[in-house]
Amino acid sequence: DVKVTQSSRYLVKRTGEKVFLECVQDMDHENMFWYRQDPGLGLRLIYFSYDVKMKEKGDIPEGYSVSREKKERFSLILESASTNQTSMYLCASSSAGPHLHTDTQYFGPGTRLTVL
Amino acid sequence: QKEVEQNSGPLSVPEGAIASLNCTYSDRVSQSFFWYRQYSGKSPELIMSIYSNGDKEDGRFTAQLNKASQYVSLLIRDSQPSDSATYLCAVNSVNSGNTPLVFGKGTRLSVIA
């Protein structure tokens, strides 16, 4: 079974703090993704990575950065947390399919971040 | 802008009935289609994937794909209260640029006992 884990289920931070969200997958997947999910807005892609040290911007990268130093680990960094970054953050991973981008994404349990 | 559209619901069905969830997509070159179920406060979990036109059955779930009409649907037979959740449709296209999977906003299903 694919297992994607995230460092925290719930996190409360203060405005201006630097926040690290970590994601680890144990299936040797090439691809890893960070989304945020907000009511009425659905899932929105923040960043993704197709290989170690590779990163690509998604739809809403502003205010975020990422790091992928090892294949199994993908970190999302909020450089200076703001209240509008209060959200559910979801990490996902997938293997590289016969066509680039196409394979099934498996999600971690999510981190509910509150920025006060 | 590639889009995936779903009726937000809620879709209410009585226990034991067939629930029909629909999804349309805008990108004609889309090749991979996924249905995820998401319980409140939890993360999405994969129910089914479908790649070819026609029906694909897995237990009480049937995915239907019609590429000519650009829609994909999910049928849930013998609906149970435990099926009450939000169902997300996701679509992938070759050469999709910076958005590997495009998700719909989901349809909320409520199965009434």
Side-chain angles (χ1 to χ4, degrees):
Chain A
D1 270 356
V2 176
K3 190 159 187 184
V4 182
T5 58
Q6 295 184 228
S7 50
S8 305
R9 291 300 308 275
Y10 301 94
L11 207 53
V12 179
K13 295 292 182 181
R14 297 215 172 267
T15 301
E17 280 193 78
K18 192 168 186 176
V19 181
F20 294 87
L21 302 181
E22 290 219 317
C23 175
V24 177
Q25 50 92 6
D26 67 357
M27 287 301 294
D28 201 34
H29 282 170
E30 291 80 9
N31 309 324
M32 297 188 75
F33 309 86
W34 275 107
Y35 295 88
R36 64 177 284 178
Q37 188 175 35
D38 302 286
L41 297 178
L43 277 168
R44 293 182 290 168
L45 182 65
I46 304 172
Y47 267 99
F48 59 101
S49 169
Y50 291 118
D51 203 349
V52 175
K53 297 192 185 295
M54 302 288 287
K55 60 183 179 183
E56 296 280 348
K57 292 180 180 179
D59 300 317
I60 52 163
E62 296 79 16
Y64 303 94
S65 62
V66 290
S67 173
R68 194 165 180 201
E69 296 296 318
K70 293 184 178 182
K71 189 175 185 179
E72 68 271 18
R73 190 179 299 268
F74 192 35
S75 301
L76 179 69
I77 303 150
L78 286 65
E79 297 289 343
S80 177
S82 63
T83 54
N84 63 12
Q85 292 179 310
T86 292
S87 188
M88 169 72 97
Y89 289 88
L90 291 159
C91 176
S93 72
S94 70
S95 65
H99 299 286
L100 189 63
H101 310 311
T102 60
D103 216 1
T104 305
Q105 289 187 21
Y106 297 92
F107 286 84
T111 296
R112 186 163 292 282
L113 172 67
T114 302
V115 182
L116 302 176
Chain B
Q1 180 76 10
K2 300 177 181 64
E3 293 183 344
V4 175
E5 299 287 342
Q6 296 181 254
N7 189 321
S8 62
L11 172 67
S12 294
V13 300
E15 183 175 359
I18 296 175
S20 177
L21 305 164
N22 299 312
C23 171
T24 59
Y25 58 93
S26 62
D27 190 351
R28 286 193 168 274
V29 301
S30 297
Q31 296 197 356
S32 306
F33 306 87
F34 305 90
W35 282 101
Y36 287 84
R37 177 176 62 200
Q38 187 174 24
Y39 292 114
S40 181
K42 303 293 185 181
S43 61
E45 57 179 324
L46 179 73
I47 297 178
M48 294 193 70
S49 58
I50 186 167
Y51 302 91
S52 304
N53 277 329
D55 294 2
K56 179 181 177 182
E57 188 174 317
D58 184 0
R60 296 187 295 113
F61 299 96
T62 299
Q64 299 175 317
L65 175 60
N66 184 323
K67 289 186 179 181
S69 300
Q70 294 177 237
Y71 83 77
V72 56
S73 62
L74 180 70
L75 301 179
I76 306 175
R77 289 182 301 281
D78 188 24
S79 295
Q80 301 298 310
S82 59
D83 295 326
S84 298
T86 296
Y87 290 80
L88 304 175
C89 173
V91 175
N92 201 343
S93 306
V94 178
N95 301 320
S96 61
N98 287 335
T99 310
L101 273 187
V102 182
F103 283 85
K105 292 183 180 179
T107 297
R108 190 155 56 93
L109 172 67
S110 179
V111 180
I112 311 299

